[in-house]
Amino acid sequence: MMLKPSIDKLLDKVPSKYSLVILQAKRAHELEAGAKATKEFKSEKSTLRALEEIEAGYVTIHPDPVAKRESVRRKAEVERLAKEEEERKIKEQIAKEEQEEGQKV
């Protein structure tokens, strides 16, 4: 049985087999979690879909993983703060409505 895409083509995109396995696993997890695909797939399984994306050059190893992790942390923090602000506004609106309701009675 022959692997499609071939290991030789994949190793042209990634420096080592170890890096390839890690990149494939991470991308497969992202696809399973609902990440948007970068292309149409021939394969059904997320692991093979990840290999197809790596072969096409759509998924690569980030040149500065520390910066990438920091960027992801910052994005998560911004999203968390936005969600907290939205919840605060909703609570203020509820309190305002309850106060107006209390004045009408």
Side-chain angles (χ1 to χ4, degrees):
M1 185 171 112
M2 186 166 227
L3 174 67
K4 296 278 184 177
S6 77
I7 189 77
D8 296 327
K9 288 181 181 178
L10 292 168
L11 287 176
D12 289 340
K13 306 286 184 179
V14 192
S16 70
K17 290 179 183 179
Y18 174 78
S19 298
L20 175 63
V21 170
I22 298 300
L23 183 60
Q24 176 202 18
K26 287 183 177 184
R27 182 59 181 158
H29 284 290
E30 289 174 355
L31 291 170
E32 287 288 324
K36 186 177 178 186
T38 58
K39 63 176 269 175
E40 293 295 319
F41 299 109
K42 297 176 188 172
S43 305
E44 293 294 320
K45 295 181 177 182
S46 60
T47 52
L48 295 176
R49 288 178 173 188
L51 288 175
E52 286 182 33
E53 288 183 328
I54 294 167
E55 180 190 35
Y58 295 127
V59 177
T60 60
I61 295 174
H62 197 281
D64 187 0
V66 173
K68 180 180 179 184
R69 280 191 295 274
E70 185 60 33
S71 170
V72 169
R73 280 190 207 111
R74 277 195 304 265
K75 182 179 176 184
E77 180 67 14
V78 167
E79 289 173 357
R80 184 187 64 79
L81 292 173
K83 185 176 179 180
E84 285 178 0
E85 179 66 19
E86 183 179 339
E87 289 175 2
R88 185 188 61 77
K89 287 180 180 180
I90 291 171
K91 288 178 182 179
E92 285 178 359
Q93 182 66 29
I94 291 171
K96 182 180 176 183
E97 289 174 1
E98 287 175 349
Q99 185 181 21
E100 289 174 359
E101 186 69 29
Q103 290 177 354
K104 288 181 182 178
V105 174

